[in-house]
Amino acid sequence: MALLRVGVLASGRGTNLQAIIDACKEGKIPAEVAVVVSDKAGAQALERARKEGIPAVFVDPRGFAGKEEYEQAVVDVLKRHGAELVCLAGYMRLVGKTLLDSFPNRIMNIHPALLPAFPGLHGQRQALEYGVRYSGCTVHFVDEGCDTGPIILQAVVPVFDTDTEETLAARILEQEHRIYPEAIRLFAGGYLHLEGRRVFIREGKK
Ligand code: GRF
């Protein structure tokens, strides 16, 4: 099977990117990271990509007239590298129409909470402050909203009385690193079927 070419957008440390790269390298998913794009020049994610010999491109949002022009530049980079799926991994911007229209139902995101609970920034802190007994993470397709797109996979973790934002985030992150590559595997295999806002997983029958 030909490898699915994945473009990753990341703004920060890139541990999810690393988990995806590792899963590809280990042959766990029939995919390869074709390019990593960041809106932050100093993002550790870019360094991780370079270390792996993966093209790493900084696109400076300040160099463009507006969001549309910036996103078009990102799309150009992704297309130039043949990206078939776009994975947001700690990408700190709301995706707009230009990116969405260029990759319809082909953009995924990972969020550190059980959506639709606690969307937006600091999902782990929100969960802790709300007092839930369980939280987790969600891989979803991206739509024009903030963390509102169709849900692909979720993982649940317990919240303990002794938890801080950091300990909870670490417990959730472990699961993020497991379910993001798994979601990509399902996509690459053609096993994800979108009906309305529901995602059905049909392994074995396409
Ligand atoms: C993760 O917690 C992810 O859920 C959220 O941003 C964080 C990115 O972490 N969207 P990393 O850059 O992948 O380490």
Side-chain angles (χ1 to χ4, degrees):
M1 199 185 342
L3 297 179
L4 178 81
R5 293 180 70 75
V6 179
V8 176
L9 304 190
S11 305
R13 64 190 170 171
T15 67
N16 277 287
L17 164 68
Q18 193 67 55
I20 293 166
I21 293 172
D22 292 347
C24 291
K25 286 206 307 195
E26 288 161 21
K28 289 185 183 156
I29 52 179
E32 62 184 332
V33 177
V35 64
V36 175
V37 182
S38 184
D39 58 335
K40 294 270 185 291
Q44 204 189 330
L46 288 175
E47 247 167 75
R48 288 179 190 270
R50 287 187 200 111
K51 210 176 268 177
E52 302 282 349
I54 295 167
V57 183
F58 164 53
V59 182
D60 189 350
R62 290 166 305 185
F64 299 90
K67 190 183 178 93
E68 214 178 299
E69 291 81 358
Y70 159 69
E71 285 202 342
Q72 190 54 56
V74 173
V75 167
D76 290 346
V77 173
L78 290 166
K79 296 273 184 193
R80 203 181 318 133
H81 289 87
E84 299 163 285
L85 171 70
V86 178
C87 290
L88 312 185
Y91 180 66
M92 300 308 284
R93 284 170 190 276
L94 205 57
V95 167
K97 200 172 152 39
T98 307
L99 258 162
L100 286 168
D101 288 352
S102 302
F103 293 93
N105 297 326
R106 286 179 165 264
I107 305 180
M108 286 184 187
N109 181 43
I110 180 116
H111 181 74
L114 292 175
L115 292 171
F118 315 129
L121 291 176
H122 309 299
Q124 306 95 330
R125 189 190 306 168
Q126 292 185 58
L128 211 53
E129 284 173 357
Y130 195 93
V132 292
R133 294 288 182 201
Y134 294 91
S135 190
C137 49
T138 305
V139 181
H140 63 91
F141 283 117
V142 173
D143 64 10
E144 56 291 330
C146 178
D147 302 321
T148 52
I151 290 169
I152 301 166
L153 291 176
Q154 294 186 302
V156 180
V157 308
V159 181
F160 301 126
D161 291 348
T162 49
D163 267 331
T164 61
E165 192 180 338
E166 289 70 32
T167 59
L168 178 59
R171 193 174 307 121
I172 292 172
L173 196 61
E174 213 175 291
Q175 296 305 314
E176 293 184 33
H177 295 166
R178 187 177 63 78
I179 67 169
Y180 212 172
E182 174 63 5
I184 296 169
R185 185 187 72 77
L186 293 169
F187 183 93
Y191 303 135
L192 298 179
H193 299 270
L194 195 56
E195 286 176 32
R197 59 162 298 121
R198 295 185 70 189
V199 177
F200 293 91
I201 300 170
R202 300 195 183 106
E203 282 208 61
K205 43 184 161 119
K206 293 194 182 177

